[in-house]
Amino acid sequence: MRYNVDAVREKFPVTGNCLYLDSGHQSPLSVDVKAGIEQFLDESLNHAGPKSAWMARLEEVRAQVARFFGVSASEIAFTKNTSEGCNLIANAYPFREGDNVLMLEGDHPNNTYAFLNIEKKGVEVRFVPMTERVNAETFRSVADERTRIISLSHITFHAGHKFDIESIAGFCKEQGILLMIDAMQSVGVTPMSLKEMGVSVMVCGSHKGLLVPQGLGIMYISKEVTNLVPPFLAAASLENPPADFIASRDNMALRAGAGSFEVGNYNLPTVTALGRAIELIESVGVANIESHLYDLGDRLLSHLDRMGIDLVGPRSRDDRAPHIYVIRLDADKWLPYFTENNVRVSPERDGIRVSFALFNTENDVDAFASVVEKYL
Ligand SMILES: Cc1ncc(COP(=O)(O)O)c(C=O)c1O
């Protein structure tokens, strides 16, 4: 055991009520996250602010998020979710007609639609087949001098691939292409030092590996990226919002950095909770979480081999996600059975998705295997 999993598990009461193997769908709440939301509710209920204190906390959490990713706070923006981040970038890039964007066939639709939507501006989206291993070579022969962005998931939701982002980043740097990753499935389960990874932009939500409810996203824009123009404007995007709340054309200078993409009020309850969640994750260590999840995956794979059940996605630790395992079982047949047996998993394109989180144990894996074996 790489950390005290039982102590972490106690913070997730859902583990006493069902066999929860669905963190790739959404994280159950921890008592820490609930306490964070309650802190905001109590403050609001009893004192209704002051908002300035909440905004100071927002900046503290921004700094915490920045440390978590090894970047500076000015490179972090809060968004609503992954889709918003993808759409902001698709509409902020100064494309010219005839430019192209490279994406993977079958990648998450929220990323894909953001770019398909700008085909009407004359931008071509080129799909590259998704193979078990995706790295610089995957894109080399498809990219040309009009390729402006490569956008892909870091970890896929539907089969648990983990792509070689560092290799793709090297290629992008060489070619002057902006690399954007959707880290919705990787944040919190695999270490992500964004500078070392070399990505230009990272977008994600927080309701899976970052353990908070839906509705709060994070966007990283490297300070080396200087050609993006925020497509929306509000007082929050400005360097000096007007104190008298009267908008003027003379006062439209943007805040420096990723904050210029922020508009309007923030999801303050969830921001408060995110601070608590990151404290928990950091107290355990993301590298420890990742190792633990890979160990659980190895245990699951040996059960599957024994029962003669195939894994849909990659198998080697070099190519697979630590926590997502899609197993070739007919979802129409098996999902009702799992539900009857109080096992929470997700139906996927090619089977049933089992996804682990920091609170899952070897016993959970064995319990899942026994449930499968009983039906077989
Ligand atoms: C890879 C990936 N991207 C994006 C999303 C969700 O997008 P959003 O945060 O916009 O709801 C998910 C799943 O919820 C996902 O697995």
Side-chain angles (χ1 to χ4, degrees):
M1 211 183 278
R2 297 169 198 273
Y3 56 92
N4 188 344
V5 180
D6 292 336
V8 172
R9 190 175 177 85
E10 277 175 20
K11 292 176 176 286
F12 290 84
V14 74
T15 55
N17 300 329
C18 71
L19 180 51
Y20 196 84
L21 301 174
D22 209 10
S23 292
H25 169 55
Q26 63 180 35
S27 176
L29 296 197
S30 66
V31 291
D32 296 4
V33 164
K34 180 167 180 273
I37 295 171
E38 279 172 354
Q39 178 188 348
F40 177 85
L41 295 181
D42 288 344
E43 290 164 350
S44 187
L45 193 74
N46 298 315
H47 308 290
K51 192 172 167 189
S52 56
W54 291 334
M55 293 308 289
R57 184 184 303 143
L58 178 105
E59 292 311 323
E60 281 164 24
V61 176
R62 190 196 302 275
Q64 204 181 355
V65 168
R67 280 195 303 275
F68 183 76
F69 287 112
V71 303
S72 57
S74 64
E75 294 173 304
I76 295 292
F78 289 111
T79 59
K80 193 167 72 170
N81 48 40
T82 320
S83 310
E84 190 175 56
C86 294
N87 276 277
L88 284 169
I89 300 303
N91 288 283
Y93 195 90
F95 286 112
R96 283 181 302 130
E97 210 174 326
D99 287 344
N100 66 71
V101 173
L102 306 187
M103 308 196 78
L104 294 173
E105 258 166 27
D107 206 343
H108 198 281
N110 290 348
N111 188 358
T112 312
Y113 280 126
F115 289 97
L116 287 180
N117 190 40
I118 55 162
E119 283 197 321
K120 62 191 174 210
K121 296 182 183 170
V123 175
E124 180 198 356
V125 177
R126 290 188 186 164
F127 290 106
V128 180
M130 189 187 292
T131 43
E132 283 223 337
R133 177 165 297 178
V134 166
N135 57 23
E137 296 321 306
T138 311
F139 295 101
R140 199 178 291 279
S141 61
V142 197
D144 60 22
E145 71 286 353
R146 298 301 299 271
T147 303
R148 302 294 175 225
I149 296 186
I150 293 180
S151 182
L152 78 165
S153 292
H154 183 191
I155 285 179
T156 64
F157 72 104
H158 68 287
H161 308 79
K162 182 171 175 240
F163 297 134
D164 187 349
I165 299 301
E166 286 83 353
S167 146
I168 303 167
F171 170 67
C172 287
K173 194 161 185 191
E174 177 191 304
Q175 303 291 318
I177 297 170
L178 184 149
L179 174 61
M180 174 165 104
I181 61 164
D182 165 354
M184 182 72 253
Q185 290 290 357
S186 53
V187 62
V189 301
T190 192
M192 288 179 64
S193 174
L194 293 172
K195 296 288 176 198
E196 279 166 33
M197 291 170 79
V199 304
S200 311
V201 174
M202 183 282 307
V203 293
C204 67
S206 308
H207 66 282
K208 303 182 198 279
L210 288 181
L211 312 177
V212 300
Q214 285 87 345
L216 177 64
I218 296 168
M219 178 166 70
Y220 156 78
I221 303 178
S222 162
K223 52 174 161 278
E224 286 169 29
V225 178
T226 53
N227 61 345
L228 299 178
V229 182
F232 302 136
L233 193 70
S237 339
L238 302 180
E239 181 63 26
N240 294 305
D244 59 2
F245 283 81
I246 298 174
S248 129
R249 285 192 186 81
D250 304 333
N251 181 21
M252 289 174 66
L254 294 173
R255 276 164 73 178
S260 59
F261 283 78
E262 292 179 347
V263 286
N265 277 293
Y266 296 85
N267 183 344
L268 294 171
T270 311
V271 165
T272 309
L274 181 63
R276 304 286 184 101
I278 293 179
E279 275 167 29
L280 172 64
I281 294 167
E282 287 187 324
S283 71
V284 173
V286 184
N288 291 330
I289 294 173
E290 180 183 55
S291 303
H292 174 63
L293 300 177
Y294 272 128
D295 289 349
L296 296 182
D298 286 345
R299 195 174 182 96
L300 177 66
L301 290 179
S302 55
H303 279 301
L304 296 179
D305 290 346
R306 187 172 50 74
M307 295 188 281
I309 301 173
D310 287 340
L311 184 71
V312 170
R315 201 184 158 96
S316 110
R317 280 194 183 199
D318 288 342
D319 299 312
R320 79 176 209 240
H323 65 308
I324 292 183
Y325 298 89
V326 178
I327 59 184
R328 217 174 276 286
L329 295 176
D330 177 357
D332 288 342
K333 199 166 101 181
W334 282 82
L335 196 63
Y337 170 72
F338 285 129
T339 308
E340 268 165 40
N341 283 276
N342 213 13
V343 177
R344 288 277 295 275
V345 287
S346 276
E348 266 311 332
R349 291 175 199 171
D350 300 306
I352 290 284
R353 183 180 68 192
V354 169
S355 50
F356 301 123
L358 68 173
F359 53 78
N360 286 120
T361 58
E362 294 180 349
N363 285 343
D364 288 344
V365 181
D366 295 349
F368 176 74
S370 317
V371 172
V372 173
E373 206 152 23
K374 203 162 89 196
Y375 190 79
L376 285 176

